[in-house]
């Protein structure tokens, strides 16, 4: 337990959050990998005001906080997480219906960050809107997907995203347009040094010196997407095909965090050609390899699955084996796509 988390702090948190706070909470219950040690504090604020109060208190007390969405692209080490884990699914309620506005040939649709990405995809199909099918099958929330610039071979979040509202550590809510977000492959960075920040009410430009530290990460509250009218039947058919291929190629029913490694950028040798991380691990002969309860999926080599009560350490050891073997055999350095957090046991 964090030394800052004394009895008074616990009392304060319980008063603020009631039944929505837990102490020494196993993260294995909150990640799709089904692994992870204890979080000192696990908090699920019910509304924005409570979220703001919690962040402000943690900053005042210099208590570290970690924001999580659906926990689907996350590997929490066995030693757990110090400080406060803040889960956003309650306060950024994903069940609220999207808000749509029609503009000429396009439709903009705004959804809360806590909405499941798959619900957004389904909503778009049902409304005959094209532009979200690329995300079919990606687990997690809209907020998490934007934060990771989640994607597939068909596209990534940056293609459909228009803007987001974020909560700054100062408690202010700002609208950030796409041009002020730096999207890279499976990565979004905020450039707060030069970011023109305008609130809805004060239409002015501010130089904001926010550092991208753990304490000052903006929280994505919602996302506005631009989609295009299309034939719903066609969209539905396309969606069925994408999901069928995914189920065939990937171990979708077993606990994992999706693809473990990013696909390497151009892999050059004897001319330019490209191989995916899955293909390289497969060629290295590692499909089906097990360490403890973790296994490199026999179906898709870029998936590490929790086959039987794995520990985070088993998954990390398998990942390291894959990295080393691929590096030795193909001279390619694989980098995790999954976010690895927490402390070793
Ligand atoms: N391959 C193998 N062996 C394997 C796996 C793949 O030889 O074990 C080969 C395939 O035959 C194919 C190539 O590698 O020629 C690419 O494989 P695949 O089509 O499965 O795509 P991927 O690059 O491995 C990406 C995304 C997935 C997404 C799929 C489908 C990354 C890191 N992964 O996988 O996203 O589902 O395309 O669009 O970008 C995820 O959501 O976490 C995720 C897995």
């Amino acid at each position: 337990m964090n030394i800052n988390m004394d009895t008074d702090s616990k009392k304060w948190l319980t008063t603020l959050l009631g039944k929505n706070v837990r102490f020494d909470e196993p993260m294995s219950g909150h990640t799709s990998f089904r692994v992870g040690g204890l979080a000192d504090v696990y908090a699920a604020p019910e509304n924005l005001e409570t979220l703001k109060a919690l962040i402000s208190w943690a900053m005042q007390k210099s208590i570290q906080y970690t924001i999580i969405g659906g926990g689907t692209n996350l590997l929490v080490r066995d030693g757990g997480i110090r400080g406060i884990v803040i889960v956003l699914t309650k306060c950024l309620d994903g069940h609220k219906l999207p808000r749509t506005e029609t503009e000429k040939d396009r439709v903009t649709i705004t959804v809360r960050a806590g909405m499941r990405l798959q619900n957004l995809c389904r909503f778009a199909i049902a409304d005959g809107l094209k532009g979200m099918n690329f995300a079919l099958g990606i687990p997690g929330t809209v907020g998490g997907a934007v934060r990771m610039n989640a994607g597939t071979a068909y596209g990534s979040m940056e293609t459909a995203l228009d803007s987001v509202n974020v909560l700054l550590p100062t408690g202010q809510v700002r609208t950030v347009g796409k041009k002020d977000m730096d999207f890279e492959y499976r990565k979004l960075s905020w450039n707060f040094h030069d970011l023109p920040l305008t609130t809805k009410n004060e239409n002015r430009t501010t130089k904001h010196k926010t550092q991208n530290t753990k304490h000052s990460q903006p929280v994505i509250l919602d996302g506005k997407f631009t989609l295009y009218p299309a034939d719903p039947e066609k969209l539905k058919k396309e969606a069925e095909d994408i999901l069928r291929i995914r189920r065939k190629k990937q171990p979708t029913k077993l606990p994992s965090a999706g693809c473990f490694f990013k696909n390497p950028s151009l892999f050059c040798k004897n001319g330019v050609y490209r191989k995916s991380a899955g293909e390289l691990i497969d060629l290295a002969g590692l499909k089906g390899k097990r360490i403890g309860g973790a296994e490199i999926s026999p179906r898709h080599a870029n998936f590490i699955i929790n086959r039987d009560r794995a520990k985070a350490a088993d998954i990390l050891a398998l990942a390291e084996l894959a990295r080393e073997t691929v590096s030795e055999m193909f001279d390619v350095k694989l980098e995790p796509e999954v976010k690895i957090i927490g402390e070793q046991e």
Side-chain angles (χ1 to χ4, degrees):
M1 172 66 78
N2 190 309
I3 47 163
N4 293 321
M5 214 59 68
D6 48 29
T7 317
D8 283 351
S9 298
K10 282 174 130 182
K11 235 190 225 163
W12 189 91
L13 287 162
T14 310
T15 308
L16 179 75
L17 293 146
K19 61 180 185 344
N20 295 320
V21 65
R22 293 185 202 161
F23 300 97
D24 293 326
E25 174 71 3
M27 287 304 294
S28 51
H30 304 286
T31 58
S32 59
F33 250 138
R34 301 268 165 254
V35 302
L38 305 181
D40 290 341
V41 180
Y42 181 86
E46 233 159 40
N47 54 50
L48 204 54
E49 289 317 306
T50 313
L51 172 67
K52 281 186 193 174
L54 178 60
I55 290 179
S56 154
W57 178 82
M59 286 182 69
Q60 233 177 53
K61 292 236 157 207
S62 294
I63 296 173
Q64 183 173 312
Y65 63 85
T66 306
I67 306 265
I68 69 166
T72 53
N73 198 39
L74 207 58
L75 175 57
V76 180
R77 293 193 187 90
D78 300 310
I81 303 175
R82 301 293 71 80
I84 311 172
V85 171
I86 304 178
V87 62
L88 298 174
T89 33
K90 273 196 182 161
C91 61
L92 304 178
D93 181 12
H95 298 297
K96 209 168 162 192
L97 270 180
R99 211 177 61 236
T100 56
E101 286 168 57
T102 307
E103 297 171 8
K104 288 188 193 153
D105 58 337
R106 66 190 66 178
V107 176
T108 60
I109 147 165
T110 306
V111 293
R112 305 285 294 267
M115 174 180 261
R116 297 262 147 208
L117 186 58
Q118 291 316 291
N119 288 345
L120 170 58
C121 294
R122 268 183 229 123
F123 179 88
I125 294 169
D127 257 34
L129 296 172
K130 189 179 164 163
M132 282 312 302
N133 268 1
F134 77 88
L136 280 162
I138 300 179
T141 58
V142 168
V146 171
R147 194 72 193 80
M148 299 303 298
N149 191 18
T152 63
Y154 310 103
S156 59
M157 295 304 281
E158 66 177 302
T159 33
L161 190 70
D162 188 62
S163 63
V164 290
N165 279 309
V166 295
L167 172 68
L168 297 176
T170 52
Q172 288 164 294
V173 174
R174 302 274 181 168
T175 305
V176 184
K178 194 169 156 181
K179 66 174 174 32
D180 295 320
M181 295 181 245
D182 288 335
F183 283 106
E184 289 169 66
Y185 176 67
R186 305 292 176 264
K187 191 176 165 199
L188 162 65
S189 336
W190 311 99
N191 184 1
F192 277 96
H193 296 284
D194 299 301
L195 181 68
L197 294 167
T198 47
T199 58
K200 280 177 181 156
N201 302 326
E202 49 159 340
N203 195 17
R204 67 187 170 85
T205 301
T206 317
K207 289 269 182 202
H208 193 89
K209 293 282 176 204
T210 305
Q211 288 158 13
N212 276 350
T213 62
K214 264 187 182 152
H215 273 164
S216 55
Q217 283 293 322
V219 177
I220 298 170
L221 301 178
D222 59 32
K224 185 172 170 185
F225 297 85
T226 301
L227 305 177
Y228 300 88
D231 176 4
E233 283 313 308
K234 251 192 184 163
L235 285 174
K236 216 170 133 194
K237 168 82 180 51
E238 185 186 77
E240 278 162 8
D241 291 346
I242 291 174
L243 288 172
R244 188 170 28 79
I245 294 171
R246 196 173 173 112
R247 277 193 292 268
K248 200 173 141 202
K249 279 186 168 179
Q250 301 178 356
T252 47
K253 294 218 162 70
L254 295 163
S256 80
C259 282
F260 196 91
F261 294 103
K262 294 176 185 174
N263 277 337
S265 47
L266 280 187
F267 170 45
C268 312
K269 230 174 202 182
N270 310 325
V272 178
Y273 57 100
R274 189 189 166 106
K275 293 222 186 298
S276 69
E279 192 170 357
L280 291 169
I281 300 167
D282 189 354
L283 288 169
L286 291 173
K287 266 186 170 174
K289 173 79 189 165
R290 281 196 192 198
I291 294 183
E295 182 185 65
I296 293 187
S297 165
R299 191 173 289 191
H300 192 301
N302 199 10
F303 278 68
I304 299 182
I305 51 182
N306 181 352
R307 173 66 72 185
D308 182 21
R309 285 160 293 164
K311 301 200 95 183
D314 301 336
I315 294 167
L316 286 165
L318 260 188
E320 194 46 37
L321 177 71
R323 250 170 70 92
E324 272 175 15
T325 316
V326 165
S327 169
E328 271 165 31
M329 287 179 72
F330 307 105
D331 197 21
V332 172
K333 306 266 177 277
L334 292 178
E335 278 178 43
E337 175 182 307
V338 169
K339 208 164 167 221
I340 302 165
I341 61 169
E343 313 211 337
Q344 275 168 4
E345 209 163 31

